[in-house]
Amino acid sequence: MISTHQLRKSFGEREVLQGIDIEIQQGQVAVLIGPSGCGKSTLLRCLNLLEQPSAGEIEIAGNRLAFTPTTKLPERRKAEFRSKTGMVFQNFNLFPHMTVLQNVASGPYLNGLKSKAEAHETANRLLQRVGLTDKADLYPSQISGGQAQRVAIARALALDPQVMLFDEPTSALDPELVGEVLEVMQGLAQDGTTMIVVTHEMGFARNVASKVIFMEGGVVVETGVPNEVLRQPQTDRLRSFLSRVEH
Ligand code: ADP
Ligand code: MG
């Protein structure tokens, strides 16, 4: 469903992604772990074309893009490719001047994918799915961080992506609000949503992930099923990382 081949990204002289090969099948949940600064966010941002890779290939749902340092993609092609992924950020990034319902409905409506009525119908269904039907008419400032993140998830789902990308979705939350967001994500996983999740929540990795990918210094160091990767790390680098995070 989503794969990369020798994906590279440099910022100036610094190569932050140094040839990443990953492969995630339809319906799989990949949890991406690794120390701060190892390139996790950059990888997700490349998959979503928020950053343009310097080299290598990305394939999502049969659609393949190859990059060189001078690749210049037409905006239309970028938008088309970007629409295959839904991204959820650490800080929610909701539109403050829109209600919860408008936040979720605006994407498909503005993209011309749906009429206003259809977009609202979809938004109501998605708010139900994340358990926020009663918050539809509130503004982001009037809800909790956990609720805001669930709205952000609904908003990403509204565009009907093939793959959901989560970049530390619970890192900005008070500890008591983490569970409700993980629960929604677990629900998506159970419904067969293909997901890549950057998180330090090792419980989520153990219980929900089909695959764990450990990155360090811009390369994938280990990858495999959670039981093996988290219980029997093969490298000192992963052993050392795991001993530093709670699990
Ligand atoms: P992680 O998400 O694993 O913590 P990032 O992907 O955010 O790591 O960052 C990897 C490295 O790339 C870091 O050293 C960071 O400073 C650098 N980096 C990320 N984005 C940019 C950018 N836009 N310009 C320059 N350097 C960047
Ligand atoms: Mg990051």
Side-chain angles (χ1 to χ4, degrees):
M1 171 57 82
I2 180 163
S3 64
T4 65
H5 179 64
Q6 284 300 300
L7 199 70
R8 292 174 182 274
K9 174 65 181 176
S10 297
F11 293 110
E13 295 286 280
R14 185 139 185 261
E15 194 172 55
V16 168
L17 300 180
Q18 304 182 358
I20 301 283
D21 293 297
I22 59 171
E23 187 171 358
I24 292 123
Q25 309 294 334
Q26 179 152 17
Q28 279 194 328
V29 177
V31 165
L32 185 54
I33 59 174
S36 177
C38 74
K40 304 179 297 294
S41 294
T42 304
L43 176 56
L44 290 197
R45 292 170 62 81
C46 282
L47 295 177
N48 199 7
L49 300 185
L50 289 171
E51 299 285 357
Q52 181 164 313
S54 318
E57 294 172 7
I58 303 176
E59 183 168 336
I60 302 180
N63 225 291
R64 201 171 66 91
L65 288 181
F67 301 90
T68 69
T70 55
T71 299
K72 184 99 182 68
L73 289 175
E75 281 304 320
R76 262 189 72 153
R77 181 94 174 95
K78 268 197 212 177
E80 181 203 5
F81 199 80
R82 189 169 290 146
S83 72
K84 297 184 184 308
T85 57
M87 184 102 162
V88 176
F89 302 90
Q90 190 172 326
N91 289 309
F92 331 133
N93 296 359
L94 295 179
F95 304 118
H97 60 289
M98 291 185 189
T99 65
V100 161
L101 184 75
Q102 287 164 345
N103 262 282
V104 180
S106 64
Y109 173 56
L110 293 176
N111 277 5
L113 292 175
K114 291 193 163 127
S115 70
K116 199 165 181 177
E118 283 171 331
H120 277 208
E121 195 182 304
T122 306
N124 277 315
R125 181 172 50 75
L126 289 170
L127 285 178
Q128 193 171 3
R129 192 162 172 196
V130 300
L132 290 175
T133 304
D134 56 332
K135 307 291 182 209
D137 297 326
L138 297 182
Y139 286 86
S141 61
Q142 299 172 307
I143 60 178
S144 74
Q147 290 165 345
Q149 193 58 299
R150 284 145 67 196
V151 175
I153 293 172
R155 184 180 60 177
L157 289 170
L159 291 163
D160 222 358
Q162 310 262 0
V163 181
M164 286 284 286
L165 308 174
F166 294 85
D167 194 356
E168 300 203 27
T170 60
S171 295
L173 298 177
D174 291 335
E176 74 271 22
L177 302 178
V178 167
E180 63 189 72
V181 172
L182 293 179
E183 211 170 290
V184 165
M185 292 167 63
Q186 183 157 10
L188 295 181
Q190 277 159 2
D191 293 344
T193 310
T194 310
M195 309 179 8
I196 304 181
V197 183
V198 175
T199 186
H200 300 293
E201 295 290 335
M202 289 300 140
F204 182 84
R206 262 196 314 273
N207 299 328
V208 183
S210 348
K211 178 182 247 183
V212 173
I213 300 169
F214 170 61
M215 279 177 71
E216 197 179 80
V219 297
V220 173
V221 176
E222 285 194 45
T223 177
V225 297
N227 255 339
E228 287 169 11
V229 174
L230 300 177
R231 296 221 172 115
Q232 293 155 326
Q234 298 298 302
T235 58
D236 287 339
R237 296 162 87 179
L238 178 52
R239 256 189 295 280
S240 150
F241 174 77
L242 289 176
S243 71
R244 278 179 278 129
V245 297
E246 231 179 287
H247 71 290

